[in-house]
Amino acid sequence: MVLARYVFLGGVLSVCPLAVGPARAEDPVSVDAAPTPLAAVQAAAEALRALPLSGPSHGEQTPEAITPVVSAQLVAKARALLGLERLVGAVGASDPERVDVLVVYAQALEDFATDLTGSYVPAYLRGQERDAYRAELAERAVPHLRKALQVWQLVVAATESPEWGNTHAAAVNAVARLQGTVGAKAQPKR
């Protein structure tokens, strides 16, 4: 495992459950203006998207200098994803914003996987080591794409009536796209 050799991940980037329980009291939420579940999830997704996986911006390009920077960026991004999942897990099935929350979450999972596969590759890696590193990043992205597929399938199942129009169409398109990407042939439960 080339990636583990350069970046300690400690299982942080493994598949995370959809509902990991309610957000804890120490999660940063303003008491004055408590956001709606959708607003909180959107803010968390935006914060996740904003975290870089770009490696060091300057300085030495040695393994000793690069590894801690890349590792910290990967761990920060994974922790932000876990925070987002806590918020999503706290939204009840009967919440009127549930579908919108799931759409934001599914897109965030896809974005996370894209960020992983396109993240910084240390310049000191060459040839087969570089290819192996990229392959491992892509492999670590697959569980998140599978989870995104499952969430999009939930959205499809929840939006089958005509009033959902564009939301349903976007979810159906996402399911078709991800099924081709991750090789899963699961259909939404009806």
Side-chain angles (χ1 to χ4, degrees), residues 2 5 8 32 70-71 83 91 104 107-108 115 121 125 129 134 138 144 162 165 176 186:
V2 174
R5 181 172 148 201
F8 174 71
D32 297 333
V70 173
S71 179
V91 178
V104 171
Q107 190 58 56
D115 288 350
V121 176
L125 293 176
E129 275 192 328
R134 283 187 173 141
H144 301 288

Side-chain angles (χ1 to χ4, degrees), residues 7-107:
V7 180
F8 174 71
L9 297 174
V12 175
L13 297 179
S14 62
V15 173
C16 302
L18 173 62
V20 293
R24 296 186 310 235
E26 67 269 12
D27 289 340
V29 176
S30 172
V31 176
D32 297 333
T36 65
L38 177 59
V41 167
Q42 287 171 327
E46 188 57 39
L48 171 64
R49 195 175 2 270
L51 290 171
L53 288 179
S54 59
S57 59
H58 63 282
E60 266 188 86
Q61 295 296 308
T62 64
E64 295 77 24
I66 292 173
T67 300
V69 173
V70 173
S71 179
Q73 288 178 345
L74 284 167
V75 168
K77 194 100 168 163
R79 284 185 179 154
L81 180 61
L82 289 173
L84 172 63
E85 289 178 337
R86 273 198 309 274
L87 291 172
V88 171
V91 178
S94 63
D95 191 304
E97 294 183 327
R98 178 72 174 176
V99 169
D100 295 327
V101 164
L102 291 176
V103 168
V104 171
Y105 177 50
Q107 190 58 56

Side-chain angles (χ1 to χ4, degrees), residues 150-161:
Q150 291 173 348
V151 175
W152 280 120
Q153 288 173 329
L154 289 172
V155 172
V156 167
T159 61
E160 288 181 312
S161 62

